[in-house]
Amino acid sequence: MQNLSDQPCLIARSLALVGDAWSMLILRDAHARLTRCDEFRKSLGIAPTILTRRLSALTDEGLLEKRRYSERPPRDEYVLTEAGRDFLPVLFSIGAWGRKHCNKNGVTRFFDVETGTEIDPVTIDRTTGAPIGTRPIRIAAPE
């Protein structure tokens, strides 16, 4: 398979960075203020080797930043960068799709801390104001 990061399509390039489920779940947990390897492992039930590779990749791609919080023993935490923080709407869009098309029994819900209201994301086109997916699209090759 051709390297997605070389594709002209920004969807393909973005998927090259965060296209696997573990990476997206790590970013979800980072948004919930988890920062340490043991917290990610406990939340996700992920193998340590997979977690280490995903954290390294997310750090290399600029979605997470590694910070030392203990010198003895040496321990690092992972915090969201601006790019990582900007990924939250993508995660909520995936969740909204799942709410519509997947089994809804026993699912996690997300709430705004300040208002206490459940988050109900809508993705709209800034120019037209139309919800994405309600109008036909055209894909144009790069110039």
Side-chain angles (χ1 to χ4, degrees):
M1 186 172 167
Q2 187 177 357
N3 186 346
L4 294 178
S5 62
D6 294 335
Q7 295 287 318
C9 174
L10 288 174
I11 294 171
R13 288 184 186 186
S14 300
L15 287 172
L17 302 181
V18 291
D20 70 275
W22 287 124
S23 294
M24 290 191 208
L25 293 172
I26 290 167
L27 289 170
R28 176 205 62 191
D29 284 358
H31 278 280
R33 297 193 176 104
L34 275 61
T35 61
R36 299 181 180 177
C37 287
D38 59 329
E39 294 172 328
F40 290 119
R41 273 198 308 268
K42 184 178 178 184
S43 172
L44 299 172
I46 187 174
T49 55
I50 295 172
L51 177 60
T52 299
R53 283 196 306 263
R54 294 309 188 278
L55 288 171
S56 179
L58 289 168
T59 301
D60 290 346
E61 297 298 343
L63 289 117
L64 293 175
E65 179 182 338
K66 187 162 119 172
R67 292 188 189 157
R68 178 74 28 114
Y69 71 87
S70 172
E71 291 298 330
R72 289 206 168 126
R75 298 273 190 246
D76 297 315
E77 65 180 353
Y78 296 85
V79 295
L80 292 163
T81 62
E82 180 180 1
R85 290 187 299 274
D86 286 347
F87 198 72
L88 185 61
V90 176
L91 293 172
F92 277 104
S93 292
I94 292 168
W97 179 87
R99 177 177 295 226
K100 184 175 180 181
H101 297 287
C102 297
N103 183 342
K104 298 176 200 167
N105 296 329
V107 297
T108 303
R109 296 165 47 203
F110 298 91
F111 292 86
D112 181 291
V113 171
E114 291 181 19
T115 65
T117 58
E118 188 167 3
I119 296 170
D120 183 17
V122 177
T123 306
I124 61 164
D125 175 61
R126 185 183 313 268
T127 303
T128 65
I132 302 294
T134 61
R135 298 166 63 121
I137 67 165
R138 177 178 54 87
I139 299 174
E143 296 177 3

